[in-house]
Amino acid sequence: MSKNFLSELTGSFATPALENPTGVMMEAAYQYLGLDWRYINCEIQPDDLKDAVLGAKAMNWRGFNCSIPHKVSVISHLDDLGESARIIGAVNTVVNRDGKLIGENTDGRGFVESVKSSLELTNKRVVLFGAGGAARAVAVELALAGVAQITIVNRNQARGEELAQLVADNTLAGAEYHAWTKQYQIPAETDLVINVTSIGLYPNVDAELDIDTDSIKSHMVVADGIFNPPETRLIQTAKSKGCTTVNGLGMLVQQGAIAFEYWTGKAPSVSVMKAALSDALDITDL
Ligand code: NDP
């Protein structure tokens, strides 16, 4: 009987790559389904990205994730883009479809999946802090998921206005930019507050968003894209106000689960992925 010693390859291109735990949850999910697939975490400098992509293609990788700082620059090395990646203008997941490299974006859908169990999104009002790559993905997918209104609050005005315009032009949701004034007041009618800036990300864990905390009300669901640490200052404050909170680990697992399905055509066990991640990060309440 002939044996197959050739594993299918996937992985990640980013720098820094040292603290990226994605491989642990992906390989656990591959093993659980009995798939001989590997996930290789690669440290790739910006100048080497093109060679890395060509290398992945030459080695017939089934796909790879892109993270900071390659999510936009990778596009020029790909054959085509999926619909939401095209609107978002950034790619976090590349899929090898019959030898063609197609860019997709699973960050926003991952966020939507992670928040759905805490809030029915239809017709809700959202305040979103940030306008970088992840914020663009989250805003576009929330709009496609049916929220009524998204207020973008961002330090850099041009980037914030551009994201509000992007949502307004490409989806049915209303969108506007608010300048990030000192002690920003969250409008009382807000249903969902999201941090998609890097404020509070390890190692700057004590950094806080400049928000008037009295404007955070208990009826609001408060979510943070940051998963390291899972309990950011924002999440702690929101819990103390009695809000339902959603940390960034759910988004991390769900964006990975969607990428897994793009690559393998099979739905992974999300609970196996969560367990592997909790183990790797020493987290008990994932
Ligand atoms: P970008 O570098 O593209 O964007 C960074 C954003 O943070 C910008 O809006 C920037 O504002 C804002 N920002 C950074 N520092 C400050 C500051 N001191 N004051 C005010 N605003 C600031 O990063 P990404 O969009 O890729 O990532 C954003 C966050 O989302 C990160 O924390 C990342 O860890 C998280 N993330 C989580 C994922 C998950 O699976 N859980 C997946 C992807 C990202 P400005 O435009 O003014 O510079």
Side-chain angles (χ1 to χ4, degrees):
M1 188 175 103
S2 77
K3 292 194 172 179
N4 179 359
F5 295 103
L6 188 64
S7 305
E8 301 289 355
L9 298 180
T10 57
S12 171
F13 297 163
T15 183
L18 194 76
E19 287 175 7
N20 181 355
T22 307
V24 171
M25 64 179 189
M26 289 297 194
E27 293 213 334
Y30 291 151
Q31 273 173 25
Y32 186 74
L33 289 185
L35 298 171
D36 182 16
W37 286 50
R38 300 297 313 278
Y39 188 100
I40 323 266
N41 188 25
C42 304
E43 174 90 32
I44 304 292
Q45 300 302 323
D47 285 349
D48 295 326
L49 182 64
K50 182 179 177 190
D51 288 345
V53 173
L54 288 174
K57 197 168 185 175
M59 291 184 280
N60 198 28
W61 279 34
R62 301 295 293 269
F64 53 91
N65 289 128
C66 281
S67 194
I68 291 174
H70 306 313
K71 288 185 181 179
V72 174
S73 50
V74 73
I75 291 174
S76 59
H77 308 306
L78 302 179
D79 296 303
D80 208 349
L81 295 178
E83 189 198 346
S84 64
R86 193 185 311 278
I87 300 174
I88 293 161
V91 163
N92 79 328
T93 301
V94 175
V95 189
N96 184 338
R97 294 197 179 114
D98 302 323
K100 297 249 181 286
L101 295 184
I102 312 298
E104 302 281 0
N105 196 311
T106 70
D107 280 335
R109 278 180 56 205
F111 176 80
V112 165
E113 281 303 315
S114 78
V115 87
K116 258 169 43 182
S117 53
S118 302
L119 185 70
E120 153 61 52
L121 292 168
T122 313
N123 286 327
K124 293 299 188 295
R125 303 182 72 84
V126 179
V127 170
L128 186 152
F129 292 92
R136 289 170 74 92
V138 168
V140 166
E141 297 292 357
L142 280 171
L144 294 176
V147 303
Q149 172 71 29
I150 305 181
T151 300
I152 310 289
V153 185
N154 195 52
R155 176 181 61 181
N156 178 304
Q157 178 173 352
R159 207 170 293 144
E161 283 177 344
E162 189 193 320
L163 177 51
Q165 196 62 50
L166 181 83
V167 171
D169 287 348
N170 289 282
T171 74
L172 298 174
E176 60 179 356
Y177 168 74
H178 276 190
W180 197 335
T181 47
K182 264 195 154 329
Q183 294 283 293
Y184 180 81
Q185 298 270 335
I186 297 170
E189 67 275 16
T190 303
D191 302 295
L192 174 62
V193 178
I194 315 164
N195 173 37
V196 205
T197 74
S198 41
I199 300 169
L201 182 63
Y202 179 87
N204 301 314
V205 297
D206 289 330
E208 281 182 80
L209 280 78
D210 191 1
I211 297 174
D212 176 0
T213 52
D214 285 342
S215 68
I216 301 177
K217 304 294 183 197
S218 60
H219 71 268
M220 299 174 184
V221 173
V222 176
D224 205 319
I226 291 175
F227 64 84
N228 183 14
E231 184 123 329
T232 56
R233 282 292 179 90
L234 176 66
I235 294 285
Q236 286 169 11
T237 304
K239 277 185 175 168
S240 75
K241 301 275 175 187
C243 303
T244 300
T245 60
V246 179
N247 69 34
L249 285 163
M251 176 178 172
L252 179 68
V253 172
Q254 294 294 347
Q255 62 81 27
I258 298 164
F260 184 107
E261 199 158 347
Y262 272 135
W263 294 330
T264 66
K266 297 180 195 318
S269 163
V270 170
S271 57
V272 164
M273 293 173 80
K274 279 185 181 169
L277 201 59
S278 321
D279 238 26
L281 299 178
D282 289 329
I283 299 163
T284 46
D285 63 344
L286 182 55

